[in-house]
Amino acid sequence: MLDLDDFDLKILRVLQENARVTTLDLAERVGLSPTPCARRVKRLEDDGLIDRYVTLLNAKRLGIGLMVFVNVRLSSQAPKSFETFEAAIGEMPEVVGCYLLAGNYDYLIQVRVANVDAFRDFIRERLIAIDGIMETQSSIVLEQTKYTTALSIPAAAT
């Protein structure tokens, strides 16, 4: 971890909460004047601590309210199998998360679709069409009880 002071950590916390905060409001909330605050934000961006700014959309309001987690086991542990799978998943907009795992399955993918019918079609026509998939296991989310994109930022060392 880079050497971050209390001001840097406060800036990161505020930006995670609202990336559209103005520099003036951000500076006021973290206890700096606007110019040094803007310089710190720029440094945090340049250092790669701020990866990007995004807008979080409401999936239910957009009609893609069904979330499903799918465990995937590949038939081979050869590097080409992993490359083939990852390339195919990268082309599927329904997949909003993909994680390489240690354990019983090779990947966990997070899928967002409109409904169960759309999920069935996704599985039949898209997912299992990927060469090298041996097994899948799906878990439909009934209720999301916690969701955040904010990371737990540690306090500065004193």
Side-chain angles (χ1 to χ4, degrees):
M1 186 165 149
L2 298 174
D3 187 28
L4 303 174
D5 65 15
D6 284 330
F7 289 115
D8 294 327
L9 297 174
K10 287 178 187 175
I11 288 169
L12 292 173
R13 284 188 196 101
V14 172
L15 288 175
Q16 280 194 122
E17 181 184 309
N18 179 7
R20 290 186 64 177
V21 66
T22 66
T23 300
L24 188 61
D25 287 342
L26 177 61
E28 188 176 296
R29 288 183 61 184
V30 301
L32 290 170
S33 61
T35 301
C37 183
R39 273 193 230 119
R40 283 176 179 263
V41 170
K42 176 73 170 120
R43 181 179 49 81
L44 292 167
E45 292 169 347
D46 292 345
D47 288 347
L49 283 155
I50 297 173
D51 188 38
R52 61 187 166 158
Y53 297 91
V54 299
T55 299
L56 300 177
L57 304 178
N58 185 316
K60 285 183 182 179
R61 300 272 303 175
L62 286 168
I64 48 176
L66 183 68
M67 183 175 3
V68 184
F69 289 94
V70 183
N71 288 298
V72 177
R73 183 176 295 135
L74 301 179
S75 56
S76 168
Q77 299 297 299
K80 183 70 176 159
S81 297
F82 290 96
E83 292 168 13
T84 298
F85 178 79
E86 290 175 12
I89 287 298
E91 298 295 319
M92 298 180 179
E94 303 91 344
V95 176
V96 297
C98 180
Y99 310 92
L100 178 64
L101 304 176
N104 292 332
Y105 289 92
D106 297 307
Y107 289 93
L108 175 67
I109 62 171
Q110 182 182 0
V111 178
R112 277 285 194 170
V113 290
N115 52 42
V116 172
D117 291 337
F119 179 66
R120 181 199 61 228
D121 293 344
F122 170 79
I123 289 289
R124 286 182 176 172
E125 298 168 14
R126 313 267 324 269
L127 187 63
I128 62 172
I130 300 172
D131 189 41
I133 290 183
M134 182 171 77
E135 178 184 352
T136 65
Q137 180 184 40
S138 302
S139 298
I140 293 176
V141 174
L142 300 177
E143 181 180 355
Q144 184 171 283
T145 58
K146 181 180 179 178
Y147 172 73
T148 183
T149 60
L151 298 176
S152 175
I153 299 173
T158 54

